[in-house]
Amino acid sequence: MATPPPSRLLFLLSCLALALIAGAEEHHHEFIIQETPVKRLCKTHNIVTVNGQFPGPTLEVREGDTLVINVVNKAQYDITIHWHGIRQLRTGWADGPEFVTQCPIKPGGSYKYRFTIEGQEGTLWWHAHSSWLRATVYGALIIRPREGKEYPFAKPSREVPLILGEWWNANPVDVIREAQRTGGAPNVSDALTINGQPGDFFKCSEKETTAVPVKPGETALLRFINGALNHELFVTIAQHKMTVVGVDASYTKPFTTEVLMIAPGQTTDVLVTMDQAPTRYYIAARAYVSGQNVGFDNTTTTAVIEYDCGCASDFGPKIQPAFPALPAFNDTATATAFSAGIKSPDKVKVHENVDEYLFFTVGLGLFNCKPGELCAGPNNNTRFTASMNNVSFVFPKTDSLLHAHYYKIPGVFTTDFPARPPVQFDYTAKNVSQALWQPVPATKLYPLRFGSVVQLVLQDTSIVTPENHPIHLHGYDFLILAQGFGNFDPKKDVEKFNYVDPPQRNTVAVPVNGWAVIQFVADNPGVWLMHCHLDVHITWGLAMAFLVEDGYGELQSLEAPPVDLPMCS
């Protein structure tokens, strides 16, 4: 066998040494998108799943690993998969939102997502990012520390992902299509779920309720994910306290609480010590509802913590589990207190010199219906819509935004998204002028220079109704410097900024009739969607996208698109 030249040999040895030091692995998976019969609430429906599983498979990796997932679409709908919270450094083509970073995978087609997980540890998740398919197409993505590195807390005895979701006794795609046809609000779900199961308080469900087996005295790491489409959720555990240690794959200062409030898209890692009498205890979740006159799913989903006491006589499933106290549906004070408890574990770098000061309003609106058209919005002559800075985002259909940007294809988008509202008004007033209720439909992006420091105020409005909006930014984590109620006051509210240990997240719950201030560095080139993670609101246009330009050299530039990138035509 021929010996490689010295330079080549040195290169190979260097690569081998780096691989051994890093301990990184490449994980390959195949996701078959298919229709699967699933029975819930006494009825069997054909739902879209991954590999016939509901919820879908849990992906487990270590920081530094690479994931390669071949998605094969054998269902009837176009689909994409989003790896929620993954930074996707220079790999925006793998981010997944339909018509933003790729065209959808058509029935019979496939696409291979490939990305490396860098600088992130904790709980994330993946889900469909086409229509309302994420109602059933979702799963956990667990990122553990690299080999030889420990958690910043005592190693738990067990780890359990718990995904909160919603279930319709209907096809979710049909539900949103009907709402889009009429202009009204979509039907609410028929049940909330934990790991796909509604729990003991629903018909035909008790035998399948999600169970968490534990041993007395041990500490479990429960990884909560809110995968619900349209509901922020309170979560409690009967007679057990929870210590929050991470959110959105970022560690936090540990703090103990009896209740969580998790918005769609968010994750929360908690340690729970099993220090109660060895019997059965409910984990319960129900909606936090901040909007006025907004329909919602008022059910309560449950899972059961079951102690294995090692007793000669088993208490068995006939023992009724203890039920926890839950906040009222509209308990904003509890939601606010929980959010205020989340802080970074150490001092973080908050940039004092900011390049881009942005101010975005987020809220609902109404479009007038066409003459002679009977719509299901208010007064029967309007359609619900939503916007940021009075722009109701329109997703392109002929190309993806990233593809059009990379190849400089004109006519797909413009780069004139406003840096502040076109009209300033009393954003949280009870009676906002109806002249401000109709946004402009458009596909507008906001350009950012690579490396620029961005500070963004997200301001809720009371148009139609004020509401807590979970705003998710693709491709980035950000620091939440402050949150508050009323109209943001740049002179007074800056005193509330946390410059020491603000939490790092990828999804921020903007308070009802309030505001949040976030900061991030635009160090990831590409086109990155920012949107409300209440799916009804993104459907109505509560979204925009940042276009982050390439920096200098290969390591600050977007990679070339994969050869199998789906095309729209």
Side-chain angles (χ1 to χ4, degrees):
M1 186 174 67
T3 303
S7 59
R8 176 65 175 163
L9 185 61
L10 183 61
F11 173 77
L12 291 172
L13 289 172
S14 299
C15 290
L16 179 61
L18 286 172
L20 290 172
I21 292 170
E25 295 184 20
E26 188 169 281
H27 303 263
H28 290 255
H29 299 273
E30 187 161 72
F31 277 16
I32 306 298
I33 310 298
Q34 62 188 66
E35 292 192 12
T36 305
V38 172
K39 185 176 182 180
R40 294 291 186 276
L41 308 182
C42 312
K43 299 178 181 178
T44 299
H45 298 271
N46 274 341
I47 66 170
V48 179
T49 66
V50 168
N51 299 344
Q53 301 176 41
F54 175 63
T58 295
L59 301 179
E60 300 187 54
V61 298
R62 292 186 180 275
E63 192 272 323
D65 287 355
T66 295
L67 272 167
V68 182
I69 303 103
N70 187 38
V71 177
V72 180
N73 188 2
K74 294 186 177 180
Q76 61 175 308
Y77 302 109
D78 293 354
I79 197 166
T80 65
I81 302 293
H82 170 51
W83 317 95
H84 186 110
I86 295 291
R87 286 293 315 273
Q88 298 290 1
L89 294 167
R90 301 180 55 237
T91 55
W93 308 104
D95 189 43
E98 186 178 64
F99 298 113
V100 178
T101 59
Q102 67 169 98
C103 295
I105 307 167
K106 298 184 181 302
S110 66
Y111 179 46
K112 191 171 288 185
Y113 294 89
R114 183 188 185 96
F115 52 90
T116 299
I117 297 158
E118 301 178 58
Q120 296 180 283
E121 296 176 14
T123 305
L124 294 175
W125 62 304
W126 57 266
H127 61 79
H129 214 298
S130 303
S131 183
W132 275 21
L133 290 174
R134 81 170 180 88
T136 57
V137 179
Y138 60 82
L141 202 172
I142 309 302
I143 309 168
R144 295 192 173 85
R146 290 176 183 248
E147 286 283 0
K149 185 181 176 184
E150 303 296 332
Y151 291 130
F153 44 82
K155 185 178 180 180
S157 300
R158 69 184 70 223
E159 302 180 18
V160 184
L162 295 168
I163 311 180
L164 311 171
E166 291 180 72
W167 176 266
W168 275 263
N169 266 333
N171 181 341
V173 174
D174 292 342
V175 171
I176 188 56
R177 284 180 176 174
E178 176 65 10
Q180 290 174 305
R181 185 186 69 81
T182 65
N187 291 340
V188 300
S189 50
D190 295 287
L192 302 174
T193 59
I194 299 177
N195 286 355
Q197 295 293 342
D200 285 358
F201 300 102
F202 293 85
K203 294 180 180 178
C204 308
S205 301
E206 187 174 359
K207 292 181 179 178
E208 305 298 332
T209 296
T210 297
V212 180
V214 300
K215 293 182 182 297
E218 73 177 12
T219 297
L221 176 61
L222 305 184
R223 301 177 179 270
F224 285 101
I225 300 164
N226 188 347
L229 263 72
N230 296 312
H231 288 84
E232 298 175 308
L233 296 169
F234 288 122
V235 181
T236 58
I237 304 176
Q239 299 178 28
H240 290 74
K241 294 184 183 299
M242 296 174 280
T243 300
V244 177
V245 292
V247 295
D248 295 3
S250 290
Y251 293 119
T252 66
K253 276 189 174 68
F255 82 96
T256 301
T257 180
E258 293 181 352
V259 60
L260 314 176
M261 198 292 282
I262 313 177
Q266 293 182 331
T267 72
T268 303
D269 293 347
V270 300
L271 295 173
V272 181
T273 299
M274 305 304 162
D275 55 4
Q276 298 300 303
T279 180
R280 308 173 80 224
Y281 301 87
Y282 277 126
I283 303 170
R286 75 176 181 191
Y288 163 53
V289 184
S290 58
Q292 301 295 316
N293 302 312
V294 174
F296 67 97
D297 185 332
N298 64 359
T299 63
T300 299
T301 181
T302 55
V304 179
I305 289 179
E306 296 186 335
Y307 277 66
D308 175 7
C309 65
C311 311
S313 59
D314 186 10
F315 52 79
K318 294 182 180 179
I319 300 293
Q320 181 67 20
F323 194 84
L326 278 160
F329 292 115
N330 62 351
D331 191 344
T332 292
T334 293
T336 303
F338 174 73
S339 178
I342 301 173
K343 301 181 189 302
S344 288
D346 303 302
K347 182 176 173 59
V348 299
K349 182 175 182 180
V350 179
H351 293 268
E352 295 181 4
N353 297 320
V354 174
D355 301 302
E356 297 272 2
Y357 284 100
L358 305 177
F359 188 107
F360 293 177
T361 55
V362 296
L364 306 185
L366 298 173
F367 282 144
N368 287 332
C369 293
K370 299 174 184 176
E373 184 182 22
L374 186 63
C375 297
N379 307 319
N380 289 332
N381 62 355
T382 58
R383 307 176 68 88
F384 282 111
T385 185
S387 69
M388 301 180 79
N389 274 0
N390 204 48
V391 178
S392 185
F393 193 76
V394 177
F395 288 84
K397 295 297 182 186
T398 59
D399 202 352
S400 72
L401 297 174
L402 188 60
H403 186 264
H405 159 62
Y406 189 84
Y407 288 103
K408 297 180 173 56
I409 300 170
V412 179
F413 62 84
T414 60
T415 55
D416 57 347
F417 186 88
R420 55 197 54 83
V423 177
Q424 295 186 13
F425 58 97
D426 184 354
Y427 307 112
T428 55
K430 289 187 177 179
N431 296 298
V432 176
S433 169
Q434 297 257 342
L436 298 169
W437 285 37
Q438 298 232 10
V440 177
T443 310
K444 295 176 181 285
L445 278 57
Y446 190 89
L448 291 172
R449 179 178 52 81
F450 183 92
S452 57
V453 177
V454 181
Q455 192 157 298
L456 168 60
V457 177
L458 294 163
Q459 173 73 60
D460 184 33
T461 77
S462 59
I463 294 174
V464 180
T465 179
E467 196 167 357
N468 185 303
H469 293 280
I471 302 298
H472 172 49
L473 176 58
H474 289 232
Y476 285 89
D477 289 324
F478 48 74
L479 300 176
I480 304 175
L481 300 186
Q483 293 172 279
F485 293 97
N487 297 331
F488 177 75
D489 186 327
K491 293 181 179 179
K492 294 181 180 178
D493 289 330
V494 71
E495 298 175 3
K496 302 174 184 175
F497 283 18
N498 179 356
Y499 290 111
V500 179
D501 55 1
Q504 179 171 275
R505 303 204 73 146
N506 62 57
T507 304
V508 57
V510 178
V512 55
N513 254 334
W515 50 268
V517 180
I518 66 173
Q519 187 183 100
F520 65 95
V521 178
D523 59 358
N524 193 12
V527 177
W528 303 106
L529 188 66
M530 186 169 72
H531 64 93
C532 182
H533 220 280
L534 302 175
D535 271 31
V536 60
H537 290 175
I538 186 176
T539 303
W540 289 341
L542 211 168
M544 58 81 63
F546 290 107
L547 193 165
V548 181
E549 300 165 355
D550 284 346
Y552 296 101
E554 181 182 358
L555 296 182
Q556 293 184 1
S557 300
L558 178 68
E559 291 182 357
V563 293
D564 62 340
L565 182 74
M567 295 290 106
C568 288
S569 57

